[in-house]
């Protein structure tokens, strides 16, 4: 197991779709391999990769296979009919044998050491949970998995969870209603970490119900940006940003993102989701007070004040100094 945020510097690379299959209703799984037969970059549970669409846009998908298999990556992709087109491209535009550009792996959701784990997955949010549960079993940690979905037919990878021969609760909403979070999270448990991934309403509900648990108990990963007032309490205002390596000072207008200003100036930055969920644009901050608006960093990481996601976050004061 590991602790702390892991950020990969792997450049873009091509992979081949070795296998594509229907993992559940509206969910396809892809097995990806290097076209030359070489090993793929190392990853650990919680990591995701970018699949890069033909127009250059990137979509993030959690790796859900076996980290010890250095030759194969696996992702599960939910068809989002009202999405931005990435899942439709994967479902309808990709076939076995196709080559796809990728970036990563990147991990802002690492499994940290604990005596016990409670894993909560909602829908396609089960994908990062799968390798975490396997690792917990391998290391002998006590753990339980609760997996909720619309219907049993829409819930992929159930058979793999059941093969763990552990405490696994499958909760199809059509049969059993929503996950009973009041029961599940009623009593704080010592030395326990909770990992949760899934749709926003589930994550919000879990956050509310663990408020009386010890600080730092909950780890979550969001597939879409948070919209609560906590992230938008400050009105956009203009500020300066200094690039420490060159001494260049740039003006960031109130109506422009920090990322766009840096890109316009030709700064060497990487971005992907542009909504503060993937962590690709994480940049170290040397000075200045940060207005965090991402859905990636934990409260302790925000409090440290040494990094921000330049696609959405801003400055609370007049100036930021970045390690660029």
């Amino acid at each position: 197991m590991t602790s702390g945020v892991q950020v990969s510097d792997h450049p873009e690379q091509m992979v081949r779709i070795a296998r594509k299959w229907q993992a559940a209703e509206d969910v396809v799984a892809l097995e990806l391999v290097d076209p030359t037969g070489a090993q793929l970059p190392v990853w650990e549970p919680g990591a995701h990769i970018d699949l890069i669409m033909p127009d250059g846009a990137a979509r993030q998908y959690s790796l859900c296979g076996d980290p010890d298999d250095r030759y194969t990556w696996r992702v599960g992709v939910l068809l989002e009919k009202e999405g931005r087109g990435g899942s439709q491209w994967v479902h309808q535009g990709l076939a076995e044998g196709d080559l796809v550009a990728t970036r990563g792996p990147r991990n802002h959701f690492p499994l940290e050491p604990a005596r016990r784990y409670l894993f909560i997955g909602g829908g396609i949010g089960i994908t990062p949970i799968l390798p975490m549960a396997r690792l917990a079993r391998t290391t002998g940690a006590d753990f339980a998995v609760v997996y909720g979905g619309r219907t049993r037919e829409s819930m992929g990878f159930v058979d793999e969870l059941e093969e763990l021969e552990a405490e696994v609760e499958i909760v199809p909403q059509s049969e059993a209603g929503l996950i009973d979070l009041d029961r599940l999270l009623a009593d704080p448990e010592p030395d326990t970490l909770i990992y949760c991934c899934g749709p926003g309403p589930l994550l919000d509900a879990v956050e509310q119900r663990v408020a009386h648990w010890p600080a730092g108990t909950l780890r979550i990963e969001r597939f879409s940006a948070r919209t609560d007032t906590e992230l938008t309490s400050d009105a956009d205002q203009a500020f300066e940003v200094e690039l420490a390596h060159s001494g260049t000072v740039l003006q960031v207008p109130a109506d422009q993102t920090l990322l766009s200003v840096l890109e316009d100036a030709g700064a060497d930055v990487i971005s992907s989701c542009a909504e503060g969920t993937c962590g690709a644009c994480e940049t170290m901050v040397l000075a200045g007070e940060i207005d965090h608006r991402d859905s990636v960093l934990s409260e302790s990481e925000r409090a440290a004040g040494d990094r921000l996601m330049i696609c959405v976050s801003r400055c609370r004061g007049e100036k930021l100094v970045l390690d660029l």
Side-chain angles (χ1 to χ4, degrees):
M1 295 183 194
T2 185
S3 62
V5 173
Q6 306 155 31
V7 179
S8 169
D9 293 325
H10 295 303
E12 288 187 15
Q13 74 173 83
M14 300 301 295
V15 298
R16 180 174 59 83
I17 300 175
R19 184 181 173 213
K20 177 181 179 181
W21 72 98
Q22 200 75 30
E25 180 182 298
D26 289 336
V27 176
V28 297
L30 303 178
E31 283 187 358
L32 309 171
V33 299
D34 185 280
T36 69
Q39 291 186 341
L40 294 168
V42 173
W43 65 279
E44 294 184 349
H48 66 260
I49 59 171
D50 295 349
L51 295 185
I52 302 173
M53 300 171 65
D55 64 0
R59 297 293 184 267
Q60 296 77 42
Y61 300 106
S62 296
L63 290 167
C64 60
D66 180 1
D68 291 332
D69 181 355
R70 292 295 314 281
Y71 295 91
T72 307
W73 284 341
R74 185 181 71 173
V75 296
V77 181
L78 170 69
L79 178 61
E80 299 182 83
K81 299 179 176 64
E82 305 301 322
R84 297 178 295 164
S87 65
Q88 295 184 33
W89 166 65
V90 171
H91 276 248
Q92 302 163 13
L94 294 180
E96 292 182 359
D98 286 352
L99 295 177
V100 182
T102 66
R103 192 162 48 226
R106 185 181 305 111
N107 198 346
H108 279 272
F109 195 43
L111 188 65
E112 300 182 8
R115 181 191 63 82
R116 184 177 188 275
Y117 299 97
L118 173 59
F119 299 114
I120 304 174
I124 198 63
I126 198 62
T127 49
I129 298 299
L130 281 169
M132 289 184 178
R134 293 193 202 101
L135 180 56
R137 181 188 181 192
T138 299
T139 58
D142 183 20
F143 70 97
V145 181
V146 181
Y147 177 20
R150 291 184 298 102
T151 64
R152 191 172 295 273
E153 293 74 24
S154 71
M155 300 170 69
F157 312 109
V158 170
D159 56 338
E160 295 184 23
L161 287 173
E162 293 176 338
E163 288 171 1
L164 293 174
E165 298 180 350
E167 186 180 341
V168 175
E169 183 179 352
I170 307 300
V171 189
Q173 185 178 348
S174 61
E175 301 173 20
L178 297 175
I179 296 172
D180 187 354
L181 296 177
D182 290 328
R183 170 187 59 81
L184 197 63
L185 303 172
D187 300 317
E189 298 185 29
D191 304 318
T192 297
L193 290 180
I194 301 170
Y195 280 79
C196 183
C197 184
L202 171 64
L203 303 186
D204 294 341
V206 170
E207 283 186 322
Q208 293 168 6
R209 286 165 176 79
V210 300
H212 64 297
W213 286 58
T217 295
L218 179 62
R219 307 287 190 276
I220 64 174
E221 182 172 59
R222 293 181 179 269
F223 292 142
S224 58
R226 296 181 63 167
T227 57
D228 55 39
T229 55
E230 178 186 339
L231 299 180
T232 57
S233 57
D234 289 356
D236 292 347
Q237 60 183 4
F239 62 95
E240 288 185 344
V241 58
E242 179 180 339
L243 311 187
H245 295 187
S246 64
T248 301
V249 176
L250 304 171
Q251 303 298 318
V252 183
D255 62 350
Q256 197 169 349
T257 66
L258 175 55
L259 172 62
S260 65
V261 169
L262 293 172
E263 288 179 330
D264 290 346
D268 184 16
V269 294
I270 296 175
S271 67
S272 183
C273 72
E275 58 180 19
T277 59
C278 76
C281 68
E282 178 179 313
T283 302
M284 301 308 293
V285 178
L286 304 179
E289 186 177 2
I290 305 167
D291 177 10
H292 289 290
R293 302 187 182 189
D294 66 274
S295 302
V296 177
L297 297 177
S298 67
E299 290 305 314
S300 61
E301 289 167 338
R302 291 185 180 193
D306 61 356
R307 68 191 70 181
L308 87 168
M309 303 303 156
I310 56 177
C311 66
V312 292
S313 296
R314 302 182 68 83
C315 179
R316 289 191 184 275
E318 298 180 354
K319 184 177 182 178
L320 290 176
V321 181
L322 303 183
D323 188 17
L324 290 174

